[in-house]
Amino acid sequence: MWMRKLERSDLTTIKAKKGWLKMHLILFGPPGAGKGTQAERIAKKMGIPHISTGDMFREAAAKKTELGFKVKEYMDKGELVPDDIVVRVVEERLKQSDCEKGFLLDGFPRTVFQAEVLDRILERLNRKVDAVINLEVGEEEIIRRLSNRRVCRVCGAVYHLIFNPPKVQGRCDKCGGELYQRDDDREEAIKRRLKVYLEQTKPLIEYYRKKGILVDVDGNKSIGEVEKSIEQILKEIKD
Ligand code: ADP
Ligand code: AMP
């Protein structure tokens, strides 16, 4: 079975909270689980913005903005950026008009504090998180994925040297930009990020399970199969 069957209680809770035209979704999972890869595809199909805090911070770092300087040292070491910085950035982003259609969050929230702040922000807007899709992937597979990940310096598209290689080596299929290896995809930072995930982020699984809005997905399958599983879940929620 490629995913935990949605239990009736989950569906009832999710449906009770729904606002179908405005889906507020979170893609959750350890670093390297495939959140960004799936978020890009799903958000495009649903016509909602894909909001990745990691992408926002990398962009700020590349542009050498004040925010970029502040976050880069945490990112390169595999540490979390402090909550106060993260929630400020997310709050600003959620105020933008494209988020009125709903959104797909990737890489946020990463601490219980962030999740509580998100709930408060949405409450003020009379909205709620509709579903949290939890991508479950084993540690060996995570390391395989992260150590061979390559990212486009220009548009941020994500590749894998073996599982999702670009058509032309070292170049982005979408924009022709140069592909690079993230500083935090090196061995020491990967280890640190996995530890940080277990200590600070994994507890959110219980936070969202208690609310009845968490759905587990087997993320060890191929990119296409995982995408199908997520689509099936979203369809079940909608029907
Ligand atoms: P995250 O956003 O969770 O850190 P990414 O989406 O960047 O993860 O994926 C990590 C790496 O694994 C990338 O190189 C990506 O191409 C690759 N990848 C993503 N999903 C899969 C999958 N289902 N099977 C194999 N490789 C994958
Ligand atoms: P990601 O692209 O999601 O793997 O994030 C890359 C890095 O950005 C993380 O290792 C953190 O340093 C930082 N980061 C991204 N999102 C958050 C968040 N929600 N809270 C704290 N740090 C974050």
Side-chain angles (χ1 to χ4, degrees), residues 8 33 48 111 174 180 185-186 200 212-213 219 236:
R8 189 155 297 282
I48 54 177
T111 62
K174 292 177 186 154
Y180 77 106
D185 278 347
R186 296 176 202 277
Q200 299 188 55
I213 55 171
E236 283 189 46

Side-chain angles (χ1 to χ4, degrees), residues 29-38 106 135 141 145-146 148-150 158-161 163-164 182 193 219-224 226:
K35 300 182 295 296
T37 302
Q38 296 300 333
D106 152 18
L135 291 179
E141 177 67 10
R145 289 186 187 180
L146 289 180
N148 286 305
R149 170 161 64 185
R150 295 294 182 272
V158 178
Y159 298 87
H160 189 279
L161 295 182
F163 304 132
N164 182 26
R182 280 169 45 172
R193 284 157 68 206
N220 294 291
K221 308 267 170 144
S222 72
I223 294 175
V226 176

Side-chain angles (χ1 to χ4, degrees), residues 8 14 35 40 48 59 76 87 129 135 145 152 197 209 229:
R8 189 155 297 282
I14 293 170
K35 300 182 295 296
E40 199 197 326
I48 54 177
E59 200 182 318
D76 288 352
V87 298
V129 176
L135 291 179
R145 289 186 187 180
C152 175
Y197 170 77
R209 210 185 288 288
S229 306

Side-chain angles (χ1 to χ4, degrees), residues 61-238:
K63 285 185 180 155
K64 300 190 186 324
T65 63
E66 200 186 324
L67 171 70
F69 278 116
K70 272 192 211 154
V71 299
K72 192 169 174 2
E73 62 172 306
Y74 296 103
M75 295 175 79
D76 288 352
K77 280 192 279 188
E79 301 290 343
L80 291 186
V81 171
D83 280 339
D84 60 325
I85 301 179
V86 180
V87 298
R88 204 164 356 105
V89 167
V90 171
E91 191 155 16
E92 279 308 305
R93 180 65 186 87
L94 295 184
K95 276 185 200 156
Q96 288 174 22
S97 60
D98 60 340
C99 293
E100 283 165 20
K101 294 181 281 191
F103 50 71
L104 177 50
L105 292 173
D106 152 18
F108 178 90
R110 259 178 158 101
T111 62
V112 172
F113 177 82
Q114 292 178 15
E116 288 169 349
V117 172
L118 176 64
D119 285 345
R120 284 201 292 275
I121 295 173
L122 291 180
E123 208 176 300
R124 280 203 299 274
L125 298 169
N126 219 0
R127 303 194 222 167
K128 282 204 164 70
V129 176
D130 293 300
V132 179
I133 293 157
N134 177 32
L135 291 179
E136 297 184 301
V137 180
E139 191 168 321
E140 254 180 55
E141 177 67 10
I142 286 175
I143 292 168
R144 219 180 352 253
R145 289 186 187 180
L146 289 180
S147 48
N148 286 305
R149 170 161 64 185
R150 295 294 182 272
V151 181
C152 175
R153 215 178 268 289
V154 181
C155 74
V158 178
Y159 298 87
H160 189 279
L161 295 182
I162 300 154
F163 304 132
N164 182 26
K167 293 193 182 92
V168 177
Q169 198 191 340
R171 289 280 151 200
C172 177
D173 292 353
K174 292 177 186 154
C175 74
E178 182 204 359
L179 301 186
Y180 77 106
Q181 182 171 34
R182 280 169 45 172
D183 286 332
D184 59 352
D185 278 347
R186 296 176 202 277
E187 200 180 333
E188 272 318 296
I190 291 177
K191 279 193 200 145
R192 183 70 203 139
R193 284 157 68 206
L194 287 175
K195 193 163 184 287
V196 166
Y197 170 77
L198 291 177
E199 289 172 359
Q200 299 188 55
T201 307
K202 206 173 170 200
L204 283 177
I205 291 179
E206 273 322 298
Y207 180 88
Y208 287 118
R209 210 185 288 288
K210 274 193 199 136
K211 289 180 184 277
I213 55 171
L214 188 96
V215 187
D216 296 322
V217 170
D218 181 357
N220 294 291
K221 308 267 170 144
S222 72
I223 294 175
E225 284 171 307
V226 176
E227 186 181 358
K228 279 200 195 108
S229 306
I230 298 173
E231 279 178 2
Q232 179 63 29
I233 287 164
L234 296 176
K235 195 170 163 293
E236 283 189 46
I237 294 173
K238 275 187 183 166

